[in-house]
Amino acid sequence: MKKLCLLGLVATLATQPVWAETTPVALKDKDAFVSDLLKQMTLDEKIGQLRLISIGPEMPRELIRKEIAAGRIGGTFNSITRPENRPMQDAAMRSRLKIPMFFAYDVIHGHRTIFPISLALASSWDMDAIGRSGRIAAQEAAADSLDITFAPMVDISRDPRWGRTSEGFGEDTYLVSRIAEVMVKAFQGVSAANADSIMASVKHFALYGAVEGGRDYNVVDISPVKMYQDYLPPYHAAIKAGSGGVMVALNSINGVPATANTWLMNDLLRKDWGFKGLAVSDHGAIFELIKHGVAKDGREAAKLAIKAGIDMSMNDSLYGKELPGLLKSGEIEQSDIDNAVREVLGAKYDMGLFKDPYLRIGKAEDDPADTYAESRLHRSEARDIARRSLVLLKNHNNTLPLKKSATIALVGPLAKAPIDMMGSWAAAGKPEQSVTLLDGLNAVIGEKGKIIYARGANITNDKAVVDYLNFLNFDAPEVVDDTRPAQVMIDEAVKVAKDADVVVAAVGESRGMSHESSSRTDLNIPQSQRDLIKALKATGKPLVLVLMNGRPLSILEENQQADAILETWFAGTEGGNAIADVLFGDYNPSGKLPITFPRSVGQIPTYYNHLTIGRPFTPGKPGNYTSQYFDDTTGPLFPFGYGLSYTTFSLSDMALSSTTLNKTGKLDASVTVTNTGKVDGETVVQLYIQDVSGSMIRPIKELKNFQKVMLKAGEERTLHFTITEDDLKFYNTQLKFAAEPGEFNVQIGLDSQDVQQQTFELL
Ligand code: BGC
């Protein structure tokens, strides 16, 4: 028996990779293990680990496997099934040191089951729901052999012209920071080394959302205070939550591209924040240093990036080519390369890959027979999470909920749009598996009522826009036009509307309009659809707008035309069912806007927490010589934090436990919230603080806490919020993070404008 065991051990060792043979004990100790492995590596093998390669359909797989076996690739992205990735890991196991590959993908808001886009998830203000979406995404991705995601994307977006607004969690630093933490923990689970976890890599570090004019890839020019106070905290929150990776932004910051920015990558990220993980460049970003104008050629670009601490080169063309020469000439040091390799190996260690390179790939016999099998989806969770993310913006005369016995005219280019329902960055989601609004309404209404459908309009009549969207963003053209003349489509929709009790119009943007490289100069619903809405309004039938879009839209006119408006963003695989649940009142909407809706594009910036000014505009008072635009009403169309319900809520008895707060003390802010309507419902009670006067100007208010509460009809509850000195700290002109004694306003409300206020003094 003993002898057999020994033989077994020898047999195991003989097939073990070199690193496992030589350092079996050190596996317990990450640093020692990584250092030991590093010592065994040649320069070529080291540089190979720094190369992250995109696996496109056109890539010669044979060649890739050869490169991997030669130790020239450290990880890949965009190959997303076990059968695809297994041969690559097999190739890695044939390499001299058998260092495992990792497999990465953009798992942003779901993997196979697509959850609502990030902006919609944020609209739920429901940390449990958001966490569940991230955990399920991780489990599905891990089951498909993925080890790491390029997410969460926590860029603060205060300019809705920016197409990637859809991909982030909105405009508010506090809310986005809370979500950043939740998402990292959801992706990584108990440990990133577990088979059902994936490593997070927070992006885009840093400040990508502050691109000038909301134009993608543009420069970021920002004051240090604004950077520290408003834009950096969400990344920091993700790092503090343990994000194993960071993806570096494409933009420059105050004159230096992030990819070459030693202050950002070394001083701030690694030294100040103590980050000890993997820094990955964005796609082609090292090469772009030439276009930015800070590197004269590829060689200099590679040098700047490795010196700045960019460990891995995404879609590498330069590290592999230039690093050997740079080292030979003494322009970079061995330690520059070693430091980067150490992080790559460390990340692989943390992903559990040295223990088992096939941890997430599994055995071939266990591969799913059908990758796209329905049984692999998490539909009920997706439906539940999606309905929590919908925001009711208007409900005149209780137009909603709809009666299930009604005849409903469903119109609009987004009523039957399975691809758009998924939103952009829809990972491995399949449009065939997403539930459209037409599907969802039909499923709920069954035999009781009737849905009559007409498309009514194309997304846009602007051919140049259609061509752009089809050319740029996705693998196949997906904005497909109905070739009938616009008026014919409108006439058909009007006819259908006249035969119905109520009209539901699904309008807004195609998903590609809110995506990378999809910045817009206006925020209107495209004219083709506005013409449709106008014609529908003219029928006199009650009009419900179901908005689908990835950014705030300016819907001033539509807000006047519609009786009810439901903001649904892009609600994911179960979107149609979730929207139907809300439209028919099977779920009472509870979402709140995580970003301000401007009246017009010209009002931008409209984020709620702007700084105080010397000549503020006061509503109701003459505007002369105050800060405003004289040709439109001042203020947003819908403020941050806004959202209605089928019931009503009221706040009363706001109180502070004291009018003073000691530096080490605590203050209790309480308020009673009452469900004053006839149905049960949930709302988000929000707490804002304003530092009234100090050494520098401060925001008019800042979100500092919130609670989402469920109340039965007629029920009331007293909520308590604790305020400490930490909630009052800010970065001053010396970038010192500290609170200043003095007066503070505390506001509690159901949105950022409708608030009650009390005041206290920090001693
Ligand atoms: C995007 C990143 C993404 C990467 C890989 C880039 O174009 O900016 O957010 O992770 O592509 O798909």
Side-chain angles (χ1 to χ4, degrees), residues 495-605:
K495 186 172 177 306
V496 165
K498 284 183 177 160
D499 291 340
D501 302 316
V502 58
V503 183
V504 174
V507 291
E509 300 182 303
S510 69
R511 68 166 182 166
M513 290 171 74
S514 277
H515 186 55
E516 181 176 348
S517 189
S518 294
S519 299
R520 294 183 62 190
T521 60
D522 79 59
L523 299 175
N524 291 334
I525 294 175
Q527 193 58 46
S528 56
Q529 300 179 62
R530 299 182 76 187
D531 294 344
L532 170 66
I533 295 167
K534 193 169 163 208
L536 294 171
K537 169 72 182 164
T539 65
K541 297 284 177 171
L543 177 60
V544 178
L545 296 188
V546 170
L547 296 180
M548 297 186 195
N549 44 286
R551 52 157 69 82
L553 297 176
S554 53
I555 50 166
L556 203 54
E557 203 181 345
E558 294 77 6
N559 187 38
Q560 284 154 8
Q561 293 163 326
D563 296 283
I565 304 178
L566 183 68
E567 174 56 78
T568 70
W569 311 110
F570 295 113
T573 304
E574 279 289 308
N577 284 331
I579 299 169
D581 286 342
V582 167
L583 290 180
F584 288 114
D586 293 329
Y587 178 82
N588 187 356
S590 63
K592 301 271 189 175
L593 295 177
I595 188 163
T596 306
F597 267 51
R599 295 167 62 83
S600 70
V601 74
Q603 280 188 317
I604 296 169

Side-chain angles (χ1 to χ4, degrees), residues 456-690:
N458 286 320
I459 286 286
T460 170
N461 290 337
D462 188 334
K463 189 171 174 308
V465 168
V466 173
D467 289 348
Y468 178 80
L469 295 171
N470 280 340
F471 168 72
L472 184 78
N473 286 328
F474 302 99
D475 299 338
E478 57 176 50
V479 181
V480 183
D481 278 349
D482 189 318
T483 52
R484 290 176 295 167
Q487 194 55 47
V488 171
M489 292 168 74
I490 290 182
D491 290 347
E492 184 191 45
V494 165
K495 186 172 177 306
V496 165
K498 284 183 177 160
D499 291 340
D501 302 316
V502 58
V503 183
V504 174
V507 291
E509 300 182 303
S510 69
R511 68 166 182 166
M513 290 171 74
S514 277
H515 186 55
E516 181 176 348
S517 189
S518 294
S519 299
R520 294 183 62 190
T521 60
D522 79 59
L523 299 175
N524 291 334
I525 294 175
Q527 193 58 46
S528 56
Q529 300 179 62
R530 299 182 76 187
D531 294 344
L532 170 66
I533 295 167
K534 193 169 163 208
L536 294 171
K537 169 72 182 164
T539 65
K541 297 284 177 171
L543 177 60
V544 178
L545 296 188
V546 170
L547 296 180
M548 297 186 195
N549 44 286
R551 52 157 69 82
L553 297 176
S554 53
I555 50 166
L556 203 54
E557 203 181 345
E558 294 77 6
N559 187 38
Q560 284 154 8
Q561 293 163 326
D563 296 283
I565 304 178
L566 183 68
E567 174 56 78
T568 70
W569 311 110
F570 295 113
T573 304
E574 279 289 308
N577 284 331
I579 299 169
D581 286 342
V582 167
L583 290 180
F584 288 114
D586 293 329
Y587 178 82
N588 187 356
S590 63
K592 301 271 189 175
L593 295 177
I595 188 163
T596 306
F597 267 51
R599 295 167 62 83
S600 70
V601 74
Q603 280 188 317
I604 296 169
T606 44
Y607 58 90
Y608 79 96
N609 48 349
H610 62 83
L611 295 168
T612 48
I613 47 177
R615 294 188 178 188
F617 173 80
T618 312
K621 296 245 170 83
N624 309 41
Y625 299 100
T626 66
S627 187
Q628 47 133 10
Y629 297 104
F630 73 84
D631 56 356
D632 194 4
T633 305
T634 301
L637 182 61
F638 299 114
F640 175 82
Y642 176 84
L644 302 171
S645 161
Y646 293 151
T647 187
T648 46
F649 296 95
S650 77
L651 296 182
S652 58
D653 302 329
M654 180 189 169
L656 296 181
S657 56
S658 166
T659 52
T660 57
L661 173 66
N662 288 320
K663 275 191 167 293
T664 52
K666 282 182 181 164
L667 199 68
D668 176 74
S670 59
V671 73
T672 300
V673 51
T674 309
N675 180 342
T676 47
K678 294 198 176 66
V679 287
D680 303 349
E682 248 179 318
T683 192
V684 182
V685 181
Q686 303 154 37
L687 180 131
Y688 297 87
I689 295 184
Q690 180 191 15

Side-chain angles (χ1 to χ4, degrees), residues 77-78 105-106 108 150-151 153 164 167 203-204 208 217 247 250 281-283 314 425 516:
F77 64 113
N78 290 340
Y105 195 39
D106 289 287
I108 310 287
F150 304 128
M153 187 284 215
R164 302 195 83 165
E167 211 183 320
K203 73 185 182 188
H204 303 83
Y208 189 14
Y217 318 124
M247 182 189 283
L250 291 163
S281 83
D282 201 343
H283 204 279
M314 181 187 280
W425 295 107
E516 181 176 348

Side-chain angles (χ1 to χ4, degrees), residues 128-192:
D128 171 65
I130 295 171
R132 274 189 285 140
S133 79
R135 188 86 279 274
I136 291 167
Q139 285 164 344
E140 289 185 357
D144 273 350
S145 72
L146 296 169
D147 303 299
I148 179 168
T149 174
F150 304 128
M153 187 284 215
V154 301
D155 304 324
I156 293 288
S157 171
R158 291 173 161 190
D159 190 332
R161 289 174 295 180
W162 191 45
R164 302 195 83 165
T165 298
S166 58
E167 211 183 320
F169 300 101
E171 74 185 23
D172 183 65
T173 308
Y174 175 80
L175 183 60
V176 180
S177 300
R178 287 272 304 263
I179 298 173
E181 179 187 348
V182 166
M183 283 305 266
V184 167
K185 289 185 173 161
F187 285 138
Q188 298 189 168
V190 177
S191 159

